[in-house]
């Protein structure tokens, strides 16, 4: 799914109007009808609807929804934010239509005109849409605060009013919606963590915008979908042997953190690697040999940490490093030496990234086409403090190109920036995976796919999707609260089977 900018959505509307062809007012009617049809499935027949409209096209959608609900027998009151200017053409046309069937139209010219709201009300927010380009202030801001403190259920049309679609909205007055009914496809603002409190449950409503525009319009961001994953997936030939699926080296663990190494190792094997060697401090030898008998084990001379690079790195098709290794000064030197001695793509996670954050010159030593998997704080340690998720995304896109690496910023919709500039948001995963150790499982999956010969960008996309998909399958049996990272690799089998279908 392409994630278009606000300007691209406007062009998509215009393209549809020109080439369907259809009048703009009829396209608005179509969008409103999609919202009305959704609203009438919620069992709210006995509840009063209070629809708040601006005077742009988002407000026009609200007026059309009001008329359609009234025609179906719902009780509706309409409140229009009034600044003394005429509305858009389609807003005015819908206002005329609504006047013919309703007297419950109210114009809000001051705070004293705001209606009393009850928790039983259904509020429809049609104040401001994707065209907003500055923070709300004055009466608009006061109305947003009035709606947010009502304790009533709020349904926003296309976007919650006050929310920018393509840039950060931090500290702006924004509607806190329970539901957002958005048109045709997701907006970038719905995919970043900082906006989670505003968007509620997002419903994508198909309003039949012209498909040719979707096919031909270039796009900076995409949402990973199952069909793309099926294209990436490499099924096994029945005459395959272990040598066909690569030899991975997993460098992980330190005193007290061997669990991270175990999780990564099991996930690596469950993701299909042919051979796995784990390089550990010597305190982890018995633990790994007992817990993961399928893995071969090499150990550092140091009992507690890693400080000496193993020999003969050339025999490994991929290296994954970071889970639980710590940031001891000797470990930092070990990592830098490893980066200088291994030239194939690697997976760098967790403490490997923290070590780089302490030695930023090491960024230029990372082998080309490697995969970096930071969460936001680890990302900031490497690339500097960021005030918003949008700024992190811009930085990730920049450095993915400059360093020729793939950068994942982990989150509910993990963001993937690639060396050639294409960027993706993941569509799988759930809040049950928000536990320490989930990232170690991801490292194992990515290392396995890289060793098996997946293109590094495809390994990142497929691995992130597979990781989240296993979590989604797991919570069908387990609850989000009870889900453990060690459950994830047990459900990788089901994930592979579903993808293979």
């Amino acid at each position: 799914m392409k994630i278009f900018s606000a300007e691209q959505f406007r062009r998509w509307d215009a393209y549809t109007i020109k080439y369907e062809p259809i009048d703009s007012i009829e396209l608005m009617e179509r969008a409103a009808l999609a919202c009305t049809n959704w609203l009438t499935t919620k069992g709210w027949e006995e509840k009063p609807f209070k629809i708040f409209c601006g005077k742009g096209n988002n407000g026009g959608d609200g007026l059309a929804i009001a008329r359609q609900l009234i025609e179906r027998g719902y009780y509706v009151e309409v409140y229009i934010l009034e600044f003394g200017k005429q509305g858009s053409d389609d807003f005015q046309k819908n206002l005329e239509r609504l006047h013919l069937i309703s007297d419950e139209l109210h114009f809000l010219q001051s705070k004293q005109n705001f209606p009393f709201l009850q928790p039983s009300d259904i509020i429809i927010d049609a104040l401001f849409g994707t065209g907003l380009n500055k923070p709300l202030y004055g009466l608009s801001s006061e109305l947003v605060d009035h709606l947010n403190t009502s304790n009533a259920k709020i349904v926003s049309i296309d976007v919650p009013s006050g929310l920018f679609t393509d840039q950060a909205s931090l500290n702006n007055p924004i509607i806190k919606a329970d539901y957002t009914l958005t048109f045709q496809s997701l907006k970038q603002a719905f995919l970043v963590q900082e906006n989670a409190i505003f968007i509620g449950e997002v419903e994508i409503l198909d309003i039949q915008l012209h498909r040719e525009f979707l096919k031909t319009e270039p796009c900076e961001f995409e949402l990973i979908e199952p069909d793309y994953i099926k294209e990436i997936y490499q099924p096994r030939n029945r005459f395959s042997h272990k040598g066909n699926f690569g030899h991975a080296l997993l460098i992980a663990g330190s005193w007290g953190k061997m669990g991270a190494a175990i999780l990564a190792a099991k996930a690596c094997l469950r993701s299909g690697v042919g051979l796995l060697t784990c390089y550990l401090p010597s305190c982890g030898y018995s633990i790994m040999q007992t817990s993961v008998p399928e893995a071969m084990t090499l150990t550092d001379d140091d009992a507690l940490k890693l400080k000496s690079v193993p020999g003969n790195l050339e025999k490994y098709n991929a290296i994954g490093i970071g889970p639980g290794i710590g940031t001891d000064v000797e470990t930092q030197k070990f990592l830098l030496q490893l980066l200088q001695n291994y030239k194939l793509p690697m997976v760098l996670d967790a403490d490997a990234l923290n070590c780089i954050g302490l030695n930023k010159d090491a960024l230029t030593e990372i082998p080309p086409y490697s995969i970096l998997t930071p969460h936001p704080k680890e990302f900031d340690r490497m690339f500097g403090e960021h005030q918003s998720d949008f700024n992190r995304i811009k930085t990730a896109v920049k450095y993915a190109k400059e360093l020729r690496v793939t950068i994942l910023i982990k989150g509910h919709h993990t963001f993937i920036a690639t060396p050639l500039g294409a960027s993706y948001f993941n569509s799988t995963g759930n809040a049950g995976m928000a536990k320490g150790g989930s990232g170690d499982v991801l490292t194992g999956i990515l290392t396995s796919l890289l060793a098996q010969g997946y293109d590094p960008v495809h390994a990142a996309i497929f691995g992130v999707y597979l990781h989240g998909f296993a979590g989604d399958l797991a919570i069908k049996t387990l609850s989000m609260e009870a889900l453990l990272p060690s459950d994830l690799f047990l459900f990788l089998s089901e994930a592979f089977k579903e993808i293979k279908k």
Side-chain angles (χ1 to χ4, degrees):
M1 178 188 291
K2 291 184 175 181
I3 308 298
F4 287 140
S5 67
E7 175 57 33
Q8 286 177 306
F9 273 107
R10 282 190 284 278
R11 294 208 304 270
W12 198 358
D13 283 349
Y15 187 97
T16 302
I17 290 166
K18 181 177 180 179
Y19 291 105
E20 185 169 331
I22 185 174
D23 291 336
S24 61
I25 188 70
E26 293 308 314
L27 183 58
M28 182 176 285
E29 188 75 7
R30 185 191 292 175
L33 184 60
C35 295
T36 300
N37 288 340
W38 184 89
L39 290 165
T40 55
T41 65
K42 303 303 288 182
W44 293 335
E45 291 84 358
E46 304 303 318
K47 293 181 178 291
F49 279 76
K50 293 182 178 176
I51 302 183
F52 291 82
C53 302
K55 299 184 81 171
N57 284 344
N58 194 250
D61 291 334
L63 295 178
I65 292 166
R67 173 171 41 78
Q68 292 169 5
L69 286 172
I70 290 168
E71 290 170 347
R72 298 189 191 192
Y74 287 76
Y75 177 74
V76 179
E77 297 174 8
V78 175
Y79 298 87
I80 298 170
L81 196 54
E82 180 58 77
F83 293 109
K85 295 180 180 180
Q86 187 163 314
S88 69
D89 289 344
D90 289 341
F91 173 90
Q92 293 299 139
K93 290 174 184 176
N94 269 312
L95 184 60
E96 291 171 12
R97 292 177 179 180
L98 187 58
H99 266 303
L100 297 175
I101 64 170
S102 176
D103 295 325
E104 291 290 349
L105 276 74
H106 310 274
F107 293 86
L108 305 178
Q109 297 177 300
S110 70
K111 191 173 181 180
Q112 286 67 41
N113 300 133
F114 291 172
F116 175 72
L117 300 171
Q118 302 184 80
S120 58
D121 291 335
I122 303 298
I123 293 172
I124 305 298
D125 158 37
L127 291 167
F128 300 96
T130 59
L132 189 72
N133 56 18
K134 59 184 178 181
L136 301 181
Y137 64 94
L139 191 62
S140 300
S141 175
E142 291 174 335
L143 180 56
V144 164
D145 184 61
H146 181 66
L147 300 183
N148 283 343
T149 56
S150 67
N151 293 319
K153 199 170 295 294
I154 301 178
V155 181
S156 287
I157 305 304
D158 208 14
V159 295
S161 291
L163 185 70
F164 299 145
T165 56
D166 308 322
Q167 60 181 305
S169 308
L170 295 176
N171 302 316
N172 291 355
I174 302 169
I175 287 289
K176 294 180 180 177
D178 295 286
Y179 300 94
T180 298
L181 308 184
T182 201
F183 300 132
Q184 209 62 50
S185 65
L186 290 171
K187 278 65 177 175
Q188 188 185 354
F190 302 163
L191 298 168
V192 297
Q193 184 65 36
E194 66 195 42
N195 291 334
I197 62 171
F198 304 116
I199 61 176
E201 294 182 31
V202 178
E203 299 284 342
I204 303 173
L205 303 182
D206 185 358
I207 59 171
Q208 290 117 42
L209 295 182
H210 206 295
R211 295 292 175 182
E212 286 304 313
F213 183 89
L214 185 64
K215 294 177 184 176
T216 59
E217 179 74 7
C219 191
E220 186 177 2
F221 305 112
E222 292 196 36
L223 186 73
I224 302 169
E225 294 187 292
D227 286 347
Y228 187 35
I229 294 301
K230 292 179 190 297
E231 291 178 20
I232 292 173
Y233 172 59
Q234 299 177 11
R236 296 194 168 204
N237 184 292
R238 62 196 179 97
F239 288 103
S240 300
H241 57 82
K242 63 185 179 183
N244 297 126
F245 303 113
H247 188 172
L249 176 65
L250 188 63
I251 301 174
S254 59
W255 179 261
K257 295 181 180 178
M258 286 308 303
I262 300 300
L263 290 169
K266 288 189 174 183
C268 190
L269 288 160
R270 290 282 186 181
S271 301
V273 73
L275 292 166
L276 172 63
T277 296
C278 295
Y279 185 64
L280 319 162
S282 58
C283 67
Y285 178 79
S286 297
I287 298 170
M288 183 63 71
Q289 291 287 74
T290 304
S291 301
V292 193
E294 298 88 350
M296 296 172 282
T297 303
L298 297 175
T299 60
D300 195 292
D301 291 338
D302 196 293
L304 307 180
K305 60 183 179 292
L306 296 166
K307 65 179 185 181
S308 302
V309 174
N312 195 18
L313 294 175
E314 292 78 13
K315 68 179 180 179
Y316 302 112
N317 302 102
I319 294 177
I321 179 170
I325 65 172
T327 57
D328 184 89
V329 172
E330 287 186 296
T331 302
Q332 294 177 42
K333 293 177 181 177
F334 159 82
L335 174 63
L336 183 59
Q337 188 180 356
L338 180 74
L339 294 176
Q340 292 168 341
N341 282 278
Y342 189 76
K343 297 307 176 185
L344 293 179
M346 302 172 62
V347 178
L348 294 104
D349 179 41
D351 283 331
L353 302 176
N354 290 328
C355 286
I356 291 172
L358 293 167
N359 302 270
K360 291 186 173 58
D361 289 344
L363 281 167
T364 58
E365 301 287 349
I366 297 171
Y369 306 105
S370 292
I371 303 171
L372 284 62
T373 66
H375 57 58
K377 287 186 178 179
E378 291 167 343
F379 184 88
D380 285 2
R381 289 177 194 132
M382 288 189 292
F383 300 111
E385 290 295 321
H386 292 76
Q387 298 305 310
S388 75
D389 293 330
F390 283 88
N391 290 340
R392 284 190 190 91
I393 286 169
K394 289 178 182 177
T395 298
V397 170
K398 175 179 181 288
Y399 278 101
K401 292 177 185 177
E402 288 184 8
L403 300 173
R404 291 186 296 159
V405 297
T406 296
I407 301 175
L408 318 181
I409 304 179
K410 292 186 288 195
H412 178 54
H413 292 287
T414 291
F415 178 72
I416 304 172
T418 69
L420 295 180
S423 300
Y424 304 85
F425 288 95
N426 189 36
S427 58
T428 59
N430 59 77
M433 299 169 68
K435 288 188 174 78
S438 291
D440 304 323
V441 174
L442 177 61
T443 298
I445 294 171
L446 295 171
T447 305
S448 177
L449 296 174
L450 206 55
Q452 290 175 63
Y454 280 81
D455 170 86
V457 170
H458 285 172
I461 293 168
F462 187 50
V464 167
Y465 183 94
L466 185 68
H467 179 246
F469 193 25
D472 291 341
L473 292 170
I475 63 167
K476 292 180 180 179
T477 302
L478 307 168
S479 69
M480 288 191 190
E481 292 79 5
L483 180 66
L484 293 176
S486 55
D487 296 319
L488 296 175
F489 49 75
L490 299 177
F491 282 88
L492 285 172
S493 174
E494 294 302 314
F496 273 113
K497 286 192 284 186
E498 288 296 320
I499 290 167
K500 192 173 183 179
K501 286 181 183 178

